[in-house]
Amino acid sequence: MRFVVLPGDGIGPEITAATIEVLASIDARLGLGLAFEEHEVGLAALKRVGTTTPDGVIEACRAADGIILGPVSHSEYPSRAEGGINISAELRVVLDLYANIRPARSRAGLPHYGRTGMDLVIVRENTEGFYSDRNMHWGVGEFMPTPDLALSIRKV
């Protein structure tokens, strides 16, 4: 399996390096045949090539079996016209990653809250965009008339 690794910004490179280390260790024990191909994105790419999502990154992601994306500092990016493309949002749309699936389960031997254990899966629609951080105060999306008030309004 071939993974594209996009380290991201801030603590992203540290997190992705640790992720690759864990996966490489598992691969060494189980012989899974994992391969990792790193591409620079985010603020480092913006500084080097003038865009947060350089040419070839989306195509590499399309061709890969999986993508490992570190955190990105998209709130620090300039406008899209100035090269500031939010890679996580871009991947959701261009790859039609329409479902964000978050399983959560209590594990035997680990403490949990409540009377009984938990076995829950949350499925969130991922491409139509109802993210309240995209707001008019910052210049994109929903309504945020002041820095301390966000209003999410949607016609369905």
Side-chain angles (χ1 to χ4, degrees):
M1 291 182 69
R2 191 173 63 80
F3 289 88
V4 165
V5 179
L6 309 173
D9 304 309
I11 63 170
E14 180 181 352
I15 290 171
T16 55
T19 300
I20 300 310
E21 187 177 327
V22 168
L23 290 173
S25 178
I26 293 168
D27 186 35
R29 287 191 85 178
L30 302 178
L32 301 174
L34 303 182
F36 304 99
E37 173 187 325
E38 187 171 313
H39 290 265
E40 183 180 63
V41 296
L43 294 171
L46 179 67
K47 184 176 183 178
R48 193 174 61 77
V49 296
T51 179
T52 55
T53 307
D55 291 341
V57 169
I58 299 296
E59 292 76 18
C61 290
R62 268 196 186 103
D65 297 306
I67 303 165
I68 298 169
L69 173 63
V72 294
S73 301
H74 62 87
S75 63
E76 297 177 27
Y77 293 176
S79 71
R80 187 178 186 93
E82 298 172 298
I85 300 167
N86 177 349
I87 185 69
S88 61
E90 189 75 3
L91 288 172
R92 281 193 302 271
V93 173
V94 301
L95 300 180
D96 196 24
L97 304 175
Y98 55 87
N100 184 347
I101 301 172
R102 301 286 176 103
R105 178 182 293 157
S106 299
R107 299 288 181 194
L110 296 175
H112 61 82
Y113 299 97
R115 289 179 280 166
T116 61
M118 175 180 60
D119 188 358
L120 175 70
V121 176
I122 298 171
V123 180
R124 177 180 180 186
E125 194 288 324
N126 209 24
T127 54
E128 290 182 13
F130 199 61
Y131 293 83
S132 59
D133 68 325
R134 299 181 193 150
N135 57 70
M136 295 179 76
H137 181 73
W138 288 343
V140 293
E142 305 293 337
F143 300 100
M144 191 171 179
T146 66
D148 61 343
L149 174 65
L151 305 171
S152 295
I153 301 171
R154 180 173 181 195
K155 179 180 179 182
V156 177

